[in-house]
Amino acid sequence: MTERGFGALTMFENRLRKLKKEREKWAKRESITCYRIYSEDIPQISCILDFYPNGLVLYDKSSLRFQAEEGHEERFDLIASIVREVFQISEEQLFLKRRKKQKGTDQYDKLAIEGNFEWVKESNLEFRTNLSDYLDTGLFLDHRITRDWLRKASKGKSVLNLFSYTGAFSVYAASGGATKTKSVDLSKTYCDWALKNLEHNGFKTSNHQIVNADILQWIEEETKNPNRERYDLIFLDPPTFSNSKKMREEWDVQTKHRNLLLLLLTKFLSDDGEIWFSTNFRKFKMEVDEEEWKQRGYQCINRTKESIPADFRDEKIHQLFCIKPDPNY
């Protein structure tokens, strides 16, 4: 490794020691148990580090081209050893993830079969996480604030959670007093996980339903049902892209979001209902403009900036839009 490379590693170690102190103090003050520590703060060290009570997760965010270069594996191992040294943890307590360009349902694929499931606390709730077996852990930390907002907005409402993943938003909605929740996801693995999250937090009733289905197909079929339900609050956080064999058609958030949002608005939303739409596609542009929302009697409020937690320096980690009735309509 070059002298410049070792210099970057030294900078990384110093930065990590500083962040460790800052984040630990902040997390204790805010009663937060799972949080982001490092997020590509130093350009030459393209990694993300997340803290969980039962271990740390280190993601390699290097470009695919850079990952293919000679010596990259060795360098990533050095970064991992610095993390273990700074946090005084064993090799078993640091979980390494090498991100790759995803296709279809790669995000559902297992990386390992260790079965390391642990319950972690967020607010006064508990969620099942797995740091070793999947690319993601079961809880998207960047939506911590959004989940709390949803809980406060859910009292006495029926909530539809599309692309529901492990059901964290449904658990928050139920804990906020939602009269019913419905979680829809393509992955049976994540539907089972969502059921465990709901039951573990005391929400075992038939009012909290989980549907394992292709979301677009489910919506299409429900649209033809004259007795379909309408919901007071619809939350959706779809993937950027998916071409899973389980789906009837390919999904692309940029090209498909307009039709989906307008369909939900006209066919599934109650008269005074709201749609909360999030995406992690960094180049996303909302295709429905302000004037069109206005003509339909709605307003679309971009709540991205205030929804990103203090431990996330990446301001493009997600975008969040709240579509609600226009009071001036």
Side-chain angles (χ1 to χ4, degrees):
M1 187 180 291
T2 64
E3 191 177 328
R4 188 179 172 188
F6 278 116
L9 290 171
T10 303
M11 284 169 63
F12 171 67
E13 182 175 349
N14 293 336
R15 177 73 178 150
L16 206 55
R17 290 189 188 281
K18 184 171 183 262
L19 284 170
K20 179 178 182 290
K21 284 181 185 176
E22 288 175 359
R23 291 283 193 269
E24 284 175 352
K25 205 178 284 185
W26 167 81
K28 189 177 181 182
R29 188 174 66 245
E30 300 291 329
S31 299
I32 290 170
T33 60
C34 309
Y35 51 90
R36 181 144 295 181
I37 298 165
Y38 175 89
S39 181
E40 302 182 83
D41 299 45
I42 297 163
Q44 303 96 310
I45 309 293
S46 192
C47 297
I48 284 173
L49 182 65
D50 288 341
F51 178 92
Y52 291 82
N54 53 313
L56 276 70
V57 183
L58 181 67
Y59 295 95
D60 183 356
K61 295 292 287 181
S62 307
S63 67
L64 293 175
R65 182 186 61 80
F66 190 67
Q67 285 182 33
E69 287 184 3
E70 192 180 342
H72 178 75
E73 291 291 320
E74 178 196 6
R75 188 169 185 271
F76 190 58
D77 288 343
L78 281 171
I79 291 167
S81 67
I82 289 169
V83 172
R84 289 194 295 270
E85 170 62 28
V86 169
F87 285 86
Q88 291 293 290
I89 57 173
S90 68
E91 208 163 314
E92 291 73 31
Q93 290 170 293
L94 180 63
F95 300 88
L96 307 181
K97 306 286 170 99
R98 291 168 171 87
R99 287 219 179 244
K100 59 180 179 177
K101 194 165 186 176
Q102 291 182 0
K103 293 179 182 178
T105 55
D106 283 355
Q107 65 268 37
Y108 301 143
D109 291 346
K110 281 198 169 189
L111 302 179
I113 45 171
E114 295 174 25
N116 291 321
F117 288 100
E118 298 280 349
W119 292 96
V120 298
K121 280 191 178 182
E122 185 178 88
S123 190
N124 61 335
L125 302 167
E126 291 192 353
F127 296 93
R128 188 174 182 251
T129 60
N130 185 314
L131 307 189
S132 62
D133 294 1
Y134 303 88
L135 191 57
D136 295 307
T137 63
L139 191 65
F140 291 129
L141 305 185
D142 61 299
H143 270 311
R144 189 188 306 122
I145 291 173
T146 314
R147 284 190 282 270
D148 194 50
W149 286 348
L150 188 97
R151 168 158 57 183
K152 289 167 183 169
S154 293
K155 190 169 186 180
K157 294 181 180 176
S158 56
V159 178
L160 175 62
N161 182 7
L162 298 174
F163 306 95
S164 55
Y165 188 43
T166 59
F169 276 95
S170 300
V171 173
Y172 264 86
S175 73
T179 54
K180 60 171 69 172
T181 67
K182 184 173 285 182
S183 310
V184 189
D185 198 272
L186 178 69
S187 165
K188 187 178 184 304
T189 297
Y190 289 150
C191 284
D192 293 344
W193 200 324
L195 180 64
K196 286 183 171 69
N197 277 335
L198 281 160
E199 289 184 343
H200 183 81
N201 286 282
F203 305 113
K204 295 184 181 181
T205 70
S206 57
N207 290 341
H208 304 293
Q209 192 181 351
I210 291 168
V211 179
N212 178 205
D214 170 355
I215 284 94
L216 300 183
Q217 193 175 333
W218 180 82
I219 287 171
E220 186 184 316
E221 288 167 4
E222 281 292 297
T223 303
K224 296 170 188 171
N225 175 9
N227 301 314
R228 70 179 170 278
E229 288 185 70
R230 286 187 178 259
Y231 303 87
D232 304 312
L233 207 162
I234 300 174
F235 178 81
L236 64 156
D237 184 15
T240 296
F241 176 80
S242 180
N243 61 357
S244 167
K245 291 174 185 175
K246 294 180 186 176
M247 294 173 71
R248 186 186 291 173
E249 59 183 279
E250 209 170 72
W251 165 262
D252 179 277
V253 73
Q254 186 59 64
T255 58
K256 299 279 179 83
H257 76 275
R258 175 189 164 84
N259 286 348
L260 178 57
L261 289 176
L262 294 179
L263 190 59
L264 292 172
L265 190 76
T266 54
K267 303 289 187 183
F268 290 84
L269 199 63
S270 64
D271 289 343
D272 297 318
E274 299 179 6
I275 296 175
W276 293 23
F277 167 64
S278 177
T279 176
N280 60 3
F281 179 40
R282 302 177 81 84
K283 296 177 182 177
F284 179 81
K285 299 290 180 193
M286 176 66 76
E287 293 288 348
V288 189
D289 63 23
E290 190 178 338
E291 190 54 38
E292 185 173 355
W293 287 123
K294 208 170 186 178
Q295 287 171 4
R296 293 175 179 274
Y298 286 83
Q299 56 182 332
C300 180
I301 302 164
N302 190 331
R303 299 195 69 184
T304 303
K305 195 171 182 183
E306 56 190 314
S307 72
I308 296 173
D311 48 325
F312 281 77
R313 65 185 289 275
D314 181 2
E315 293 180 357
K316 291 185 177 180
I317 190 71
H318 68 241
Q319 293 186 58
L320 178 68
F321 302 89
C322 293
I323 301 153
K324 53 174 62 180
D326 186 343
N328 301 315
Y329 185 70

